[in-house]
Amino acid sequence: MKKLQRVHKLKQKNNKSFETLIEIMEILRGPGVCPWDQEQTIESLKPYLIEETYEVLEAMSEEDHKLKDELGDLLLQIVFQSQIKKEINSFDVYDVIEAINEKLIRRHPHIFGNVKVKDSEEVLVNWDRIKKEEKSHKNRKSALDGIPKNLPSILKAYKIQHKAAKVGFDWENLEGALEKMDEEIEELKVEHKNQDKEKFENELGDVMFSLINVARLAKIDPDEALRKTIKKFTKRFRYIEDNTDIEKADLEAMEKLWEEAKSEIG
């Protein structure tokens, strides 16, 4: 009960920086002010939201000031879309905040109610149970329902596998997933020999799906693992560029510099 009282007190506080942001957005969307801001719609803002989200992901591995700036840009997208909806009397940013406040309280009965839990696993079980009881989730028929259609493929595959695993459709251990991955790679090699591009594409997809399954069972984020490899490749390739005329260098010379890069910069 004390925690709920604390939440109610927090609701009464007035954050002037946030109020200023909302007012700036209202001004920018006003008649005769900024033509670009006025032209935007929910649909036109989609690519900006995606871009800002990925910039936040990148900044999460950098200095705090960079993350602060990128989180601000992401927050602007929420305020921007809320303002557009406010103009047609649908909802405003305070409705957005109130909805997430209510959701967090509702889905944490072990904090704001009388439910007892022993570990984080039980917290997740309660979370999923409460989620299923909510109005927005009641029409879902499949265990795979609710996964956003436009998720990047790696994340979508991970989510699908995770949801299937929650109802018991999963490997018993990591070894089983590794064996399946090896099997898929062998099938890929067969289709390479057969020169059947369509079947090769199908088998390549199976290999990638099995790799993500291996990552999930090993409790590794496959997207983050790939990001790290891309970053590593980029650093090593730039080392090659910095130490030779890449337009004139042959493959042997570049491979030698690649090995140097592995020793010099990792």
Side-chain angles (χ1 to χ4, degrees), residues 41-102:
T41 64
I42 294 295
E43 196 66 28
S44 73
L45 288 175
K46 283 182 178 179
Y48 298 103
L49 177 61
I50 293 169
E51 181 182 340
E52 298 299 354
T53 301
Y54 278 105
E55 288 182 359
V56 167
L57 285 171
E58 183 176 339
M60 287 168 73
S61 301
E62 300 181 14
E63 297 86 356
D64 285 350
H65 72 87
K66 178 70 172 172
L67 179 58
K68 178 191 70 175
D69 289 344
E70 297 302 342
L71 285 172
D73 291 343
L74 186 59
L75 176 60
L76 174 60
Q77 291 301 310
I78 297 168
V79 173
F80 205 149
Q81 291 194 38
S82 298
Q83 175 62 26
I84 292 172
K85 288 298 183 180
K86 180 183 177 182
E87 291 163 7
I88 59 171
N89 298 315
S90 179
F91 63 80
D92 63 21
V93 71
Y94 295 105
D95 295 319
V96 173
I97 295 169
E98 188 60 29
I100 191 60
N101 285 346
E102 290 175 0

Side-chain angles (χ1 to χ4, degrees), residues 36-234:
W36 186 88
D37 287 300
Q38 290 168 30
E39 290 170 3
Q40 300 314 303
T41 64
I42 294 295
E43 196 66 28
S44 73
L45 288 175
K46 283 182 178 179
Y48 298 103
L49 177 61
I50 293 169
E51 181 182 340
E52 298 299 354
T53 301
Y54 278 105
E55 288 182 359
V56 167
L57 285 171
E58 183 176 339
M60 287 168 73
S61 301
E62 300 181 14
E63 297 86 356
D64 285 350
H65 72 87
K66 178 70 172 172
L67 179 58
K68 178 191 70 175
D69 289 344
E70 297 302 342
L71 285 172
D73 291 343
L74 186 59
L75 176 60
L76 174 60
Q77 291 301 310
I78 297 168
V79 173
F80 205 149
Q81 291 194 38
S82 298
Q83 175 62 26
I84 292 172
K85 288 298 183 180
K86 180 183 177 182
E87 291 163 7
I88 59 171
N89 298 315
S90 179
F91 63 80
D92 63 21
V93 71
Y94 295 105
D95 295 319
V96 173
I97 295 169
E98 188 60 29
I100 191 60
N101 285 346
E102 290 175 0
K103 184 184 290 185
L104 286 172
I105 292 170
R106 184 171 62 252
R107 293 189 184 177
H108 288 82
H110 55 290
I111 302 297
F112 302 108
N114 299 317
V115 174
K116 303 293 183 184
V117 294
K118 63 181 180 182
D119 54 29
S120 60
E121 188 174 338
E122 282 194 8
V123 171
L124 290 176
V125 169
N126 280 336
W127 181 281
D128 287 337
R129 177 185 55 77
I130 296 166
K131 199 172 175 183
K132 287 177 183 176
E133 294 170 356
E134 292 172 352
K135 185 178 178 182
S136 59
H137 295 81
K138 282 188 175 178
N139 293 326
R140 294 181 181 177
K141 297 178 180 178
S142 169
L144 302 181
D145 285 346
I147 298 174
K149 293 178 182 178
N150 295 321
L151 274 182
S153 297
I154 290 177
L155 183 53
K156 190 170 186 178
Y158 190 96
K159 290 274 188 183
I160 286 172
Q161 292 169 3
H162 180 68
K163 281 183 172 271
K166 287 171 84 171
V167 295
F169 192 72
D170 200 8
W171 298 100
E172 290 185 4
N173 50 47
L174 178 59
E175 284 67 30
L178 285 166
E179 288 174 11
K180 181 62 177 175
M181 182 187 69
D182 291 339
E183 178 188 319
E184 298 293 358
I185 290 172
E186 290 305 314
E187 291 177 4
L188 180 70
K189 291 177 181 178
V190 168
E191 296 309 330
H192 171 60
K193 289 179 181 177
N194 292 339
Q195 296 294 297
D196 188 321
K197 187 174 181 179
E198 185 177 349
K199 288 184 178 178
F200 185 83
E201 180 185 36
N202 290 337
E203 294 301 337
L204 183 61
D206 291 346
V207 169
M208 295 171 74
F209 194 82
S210 65
L211 270 170
I212 293 167
N213 229 346
V214 167
R216 180 181 59 82
L217 286 161
K219 301 189 185 309
I220 291 171
D221 181 341
D223 191 62
E224 183 62 23
L226 184 56
R227 284 176 190 277
K228 288 179 179 177
T229 294
I230 291 169
K231 187 175 182 180
K232 180 170 59 180
F233 178 90
T234 302

Side-chain angles (χ1 to χ4, degrees), residues 10 12-24 75 94:
L10 285 170
Q12 296 168 7
K13 287 189 176 180
N14 181 26
N15 188 317
K16 295 192 176 177
S17 296
F18 188 62
E19 296 288 339
T20 301
L21 173 60
I22 294 168
E23 189 173 346
I24 290 170
L75 176 60
Y94 295 105

